[in-house]
Amino acid sequence: MLRILHVGLGPLGVKIVTDLHERGLGRVVAAVDVAPPLAGRKLADVVAGLQSDVVVRADLDVDPRSYDAAIVTTSSDMGACAPTFHALLERGATVVSTCEELSWPYLRHAALARDLDALARKTGGRLLGTGVNPGFLMDAFPVAATAISRSVRGVEVHRFQDASSRRIPFQKKIGVGLDDAQFSAQVAAGTLRHVGLGESLHFVAARLGLKVSRWEEDIAPVYADRDLPSGLGLVPEGRICGVRQEARGYDGHRLVVNLKFQAAIGQQDPHDRVIVDGVPAIDLVWRGGVQGDIATSAITLNAIAALRAAPPGLHTMATIPLVSCTPPAS
Amino acid sequence: MLRILHVGLGPLGVKIVTDLHERGLGRVVAAVDVAPPLAGRKLADVVAGLQSDVVVRADLDVDPRSYDAAIVTTSSDMGACAPTFHALLERGATVVSTCEELSWPYLRHAALARDLDALARKTGGRLLGTGVNPGFLMDAFPVAATAISRSVRGVEVHRFQDASSRRIPFQKKIGVGLDDAQFSAQVAAGTLRHVGLGESLHFVAARLGLKVSRWEEDIAPVYADRDLPSGLGLVPEGRICGVRQEARGYDGHRLVVNLKFQAAIGQQDPHDRVIVDGVPAIDLVWRGGVQGDIATSAITLNAIAALRAAPPGLHTMATIPLVSCTPPAS
């Protein structure tokens, strides 16, 4: 049974804590959230249905011998997470985080990545960024599929999701119900976008030796072609029901990594797909696609065993042993 | 550039040596084959098109400092390979082998696996069994797909191949052109079968915590429904054009791992498929399937970098870092 220090009790954190207990993988021995409405409350009052006498605290001063791993679900921004990562690694902790930018930290935080890696190696700590996307479907999984490849010239990945069944913060994040002006304003403010396409693109390129001399990312609304029910109320025909994002990495004029992400209420034929231009050609399809909320919680918990088996340091999903569904502790 | 000791110059060994050089991954610095027609010959005469002054030798007395990894492609039978593995591990070598039984050595050679693991840990050596199947499509890959799983109740894997484009020894191994009596005789003699379904089944079950209280494997011929050209000549309608094998693992009365393998000349709709009964449900399809000859050579070479990054010991594809297409050495 894993003893977990959990940091960050937003909707995803609450789901992970719930799943940790329900799956019989372990239990939370300490929980941290700096938000005033949370710190000081009983964890059992924050996480519905949980049997626990843990009280949520606002600091990380927890004896590292009291937990086997820490899970951090606070922010997409690696800079914002850095003090937490530092504090945990200083204590020699094994840390898994859903921080999107940590999934390939060398893109936007190369210096910080070097610091955290050096710190982890010194203290015996370990740090990994994971999640369903970034962290798996558009990076580690396509790369893993090329285990059988003699050569790879380019990779294209599609993730077309029906957001109808996703949690409400996700529906908000993809712009459900907005008009064009609101959509543009939120894009400009940086609040409306899927974070991580750039990280996935560079993960794929780096692991497969594909040179990226230039890359770009764009974002556009998806409009409802009929009235659509959503977690945020009815989306009338013509209103925005989701977002389309695409990242393209070029070697000179040649497109070598192309990631297409679309999440919308009522999306037809949801699926994930990996297309590899190489020898052999690969066309790999997840029929129906992968539901993100279940999967993000699942992979975060499943990655703990593999990370604990890896040597100290800053890791990615490519440097730890195979991550797979962890059975309940017996 | 990897410096490779290659052991075993059958058709697969020759393909791997060719690909090692053609892919720009490294070069063979020593080659071993005990077969009298091979030992003493120039490697360049055994491997068409190869530029090399290596002479094939019959023994393993090669300075381990002269190579980075050894590749062993001699036998499906781990017992038959054991003296070679022992000799290489005694020298502290990193060894990748296509020996099918080594892909999950705990099924048929548990004691030998313990010995080899202990030896490798003592000398700093590493040993891995891999290949496209067993080693990936019906074991490591389905297990990797469950990274996003909250729970797994059962796994079904299909591998339906058109053998028309496979190497002739593979076509022979699957019974192309035989009649029923010949097929039965070769099955009884143990020469006609795909080796490794049991290994894959137990790999999947062990990694996913699925209890297998009983398992079984059966084999049957596939008949040509029309005259079919093959590498062994025309297969007339009604003759055997391939083989169907199935392995089933049960937890009590419940089927928990089901592997369906079919390889036949003229197979319709070739594909590989992973179906996971769990949360979420998974239905993952390699459209067109994965051609085995390219893939087996590719994954054997691709696994070397990951194995070298792993700690000493006996490994499986689940205990080493992510295997992916290795780009040419720059």
Side-chain angles (χ1 to χ4, degrees), chain A residues 274-294:
Chain A
V274 176
I275 302 163
V276 177
D277 173 14
V279 178
I282 294 174
D283 186 355
L284 187 51
V285 177
W286 298 77
R287 291 183 180 162
V290 176
Q291 210 276 4
D293 295 328
I294 294 172

Side-chain angles (χ1 to χ4, degrees), chain B:
Chain B
M1 292 287 280
L2 289 170
R3 300 167 305 159
I4 297 294
L5 167 64
H6 194 95
V7 185
L9 292 167
L12 178 58
V14 167
K15 169 120 184 86
I16 289 174
V17 169
T18 304
D19 286 351
L20 170 75
H21 287 250
E22 285 185 2
R23 290 177 59 185
L25 299 179
R27 64 195 166 84
V28 172
V29 295
V32 179
D33 199 300
V34 294
L38 290 170
R41 287 180 66 190
K42 286 185 184 166
L43 184 61
D45 294 338
V46 179
V47 181
L50 191 75
Q51 301 264 335
S52 171
D53 53 10
V54 168
V55 174
V56 180
R57 48 196 300 152
D59 64 75
L60 296 161
D61 294 331
V62 179
D63 182 346
R65 289 166 301 187
S66 69
Y67 56 92
D68 301 307
I71 300 173
V72 178
T73 57
T74 53
S75 172
S76 300
D77 177 342
M78 188 167 152
C81 295
T84 303
F85 295 154
H86 258 114
L88 291 168
L89 290 178
E90 268 167 14
R91 293 166 169 83
T94 292
V95 185
V96 174
S97 176
T98 55
C99 169
E100 282 88 343
E101 292 183 345
L102 181 64
S103 65
W104 190 256
Y106 317 107
L107 174 61
R108 300 183 215 268
H109 300 277
L112 176 56
R114 273 193 301 275
D115 289 351
L116 292 168
D117 184 51
L119 175 60
R121 287 170 192 264
K122 196 177 78 180
T123 62
R126 298 167 183 86
L127 177 61
L128 170 74
T130 193
V132 68
N133 177 34
F136 191 68
L137 285 173
M138 302 188 88
D139 37 48
F141 179 75
V143 165
T146 72
I148 55 95
S149 298
R150 186 182 196 277
S151 62
V152 174
R153 277 174 47 85
V155 176
E156 182 169 332
V157 187
H158 300 178
R159 177 151 172 75
F160 292 163
Q161 296 177 80
D162 182 358
S164 305
S165 64
R166 296 296 300 271
R167 61 196 159 90
I168 289 174
F170 182 85
Q171 297 187 358
K172 277 195 182 145
K173 206 172 61 173
I174 63 170
V176 172
L178 302 184
D179 61 27
D180 283 344
Q182 293 167 324
F183 186 93
S184 300
Q186 294 199 13
V187 168
T191 54
L192 191 162
R193 68 183 187 105
H194 167 72
V195 180
L197 279 193
E199 281 72 11
S200 292
L201 185 149
H202 285 84
F203 183 125
V204 170
R207 296 301 303 186
L208 298 179
L210 299 169
K211 192 180 147 206
V212 173
S213 52
R214 179 172 68 83
W215 74 285
E216 61 196 10
E217 185 175 350
D218 47 40
I219 183 165
V222 177
Y223 298 97
D225 59 1
R226 59 193 190 282
D227 290 355
L228 294 166
S230 85
L232 299 160
L234 192 81
V235 182
E237 184 183 337
R239 271 265 167 151
I240 291 168
C241 65
V243 67
R244 176 166 46 226
Q245 277 178 251
E246 187 171 337
R248 292 174 293 272
Y250 296 89
D251 177 3
H253 292 292
R254 200 166 69 80
L255 181 60
V256 292
V257 185
N258 187 6
L259 308 181
K260 296 182 180 187
F261 172 94
Q262 182 161 326
I265 303 290
Q267 172 72 41
Q268 301 293 310
D269 183 27
H271 66 276
D272 290 273
R273 184 174 178 194
V274 176
I275 302 163
V276 177
D277 173 15
V279 179
I282 295 174
D283 186 357
L284 188 51
V285 177
W286 298 77
R287 291 184 180 161
V290 176
Q291 211 276 3
D293 295 328
I294 294 171
T296 293
S297 167
I299 198 169
T300 304
L301 293 169
N302 291 337
I304 294 172
L307 182 60
R308 293 180 79 204
L314 171 61
H315 285 277
T316 69
M317 289 293 282
T319 62
I320 62 173
L322 195 69
V323 175
S324 56
C325 186
T326 308
S330 51

